[in-house]
Amino acid sequence: REVGLNVGIAGSASDERLHPEKAIPGAARLLHIKAKRLGELAFLRYGQPDGVEFWKFVTAAYNGGEGTVALAMGNAYRVGIGLAREQGLVGTEAVSYARRYASKWENLKVGGTNSPLGLAAASYFPNIATQKYHEIGNYPTQIMARVAGHYK
């Protein structure tokens, strides 16, 4: 309910999330807030995803929190730096490689529960880390498929 109050959906006896005329604008405001926070916490530091990739990160933040996604991006950035060094890249070339790597949603999931996202989920949700890794990791793909008309 606290999140609802932040986006203009009052907590009341009747759940306003079930009223599309209130829920849809509220969800849009919340996605905007998540995108802005991700921009400040992660995208400026670790890379700016484009197009559908951007929305995968935002919907993941909607599901699991922008802190979790920012930490996962930081973890992926460090993996990207290591991969860049293995390829002989240094300096700005290595940084560019790491930023591109960290701004691709699927790269945050490489390695399962030991992936950048898995480690972030373990940090934020220690008692249910595996469940949250799968939930947060799959949510963006499911949402994007629905948007594309593949789910009903």
Side-chain angles (χ1 to χ4, degrees):
R1 293 202 174 181
E2 181 181 327
V3 172
L5 289 173
N6 290 335
V7 295
I9 298 177
S12 65
S14 70
D15 191 345
E16 292 183 348
R17 294 174 301 170
L18 301 177
H19 300 286
E21 69 279 0
K22 292 187 179 185
I24 293 170
R29 284 190 293 277
L30 185 56
L31 287 170
H32 176 76
I33 290 167
K34 297 292 182 182
K36 185 175 179 184
R37 288 182 184 160
L38 274 178
E40 295 164 355
L41 289 172
F43 297 161
L44 289 174
R45 296 174 76 184
Y46 305 122
Q48 174 70 48
D50 294 322
V52 172
E53 287 295 310
F54 172 83
W55 289 108
K56 288 179 182 178
F57 282 85
V58 174
T59 56
Y62 181 90
N63 180 271
E66 59 272 11
T68 306
V69 175
L71 181 57
M73 282 191 81
N75 294 340
Y77 178 86
R78 286 182 283 287
V79 169
I81 287 287
L83 293 171
R85 288 182 180 151
E86 287 176 10
Q87 295 179 28
L89 302 174
V90 295
T92 58
E93 289 180 331
V95 169
S96 292
Y97 182 95
R99 288 175 62 84
R100 283 191 308 276
Y101 184 86
S103 62
K104 301 290 184 221
W105 180 249
E106 292 303 315
N107 291 341
L108 273 65
K109 301 185 332 179
V110 172
T113 55
N114 291 318
S115 68
L117 179 60
L119 297 173
S123 178
Y124 275 89
F125 308 100
N127 296 329
I128 55 171
T130 299
Q131 175 188 341
K132 288 305 281 187
Y133 160 74
H134 289 291
E135 180 184 316
I136 298 166
N138 294 329
Y139 188 75
T141 305
Q142 293 168 348
I143 295 298
M144 294 305 117
R146 287 181 182 143
V147 169
H150 299 233
Y151 276 101
K152 297 288 181 204

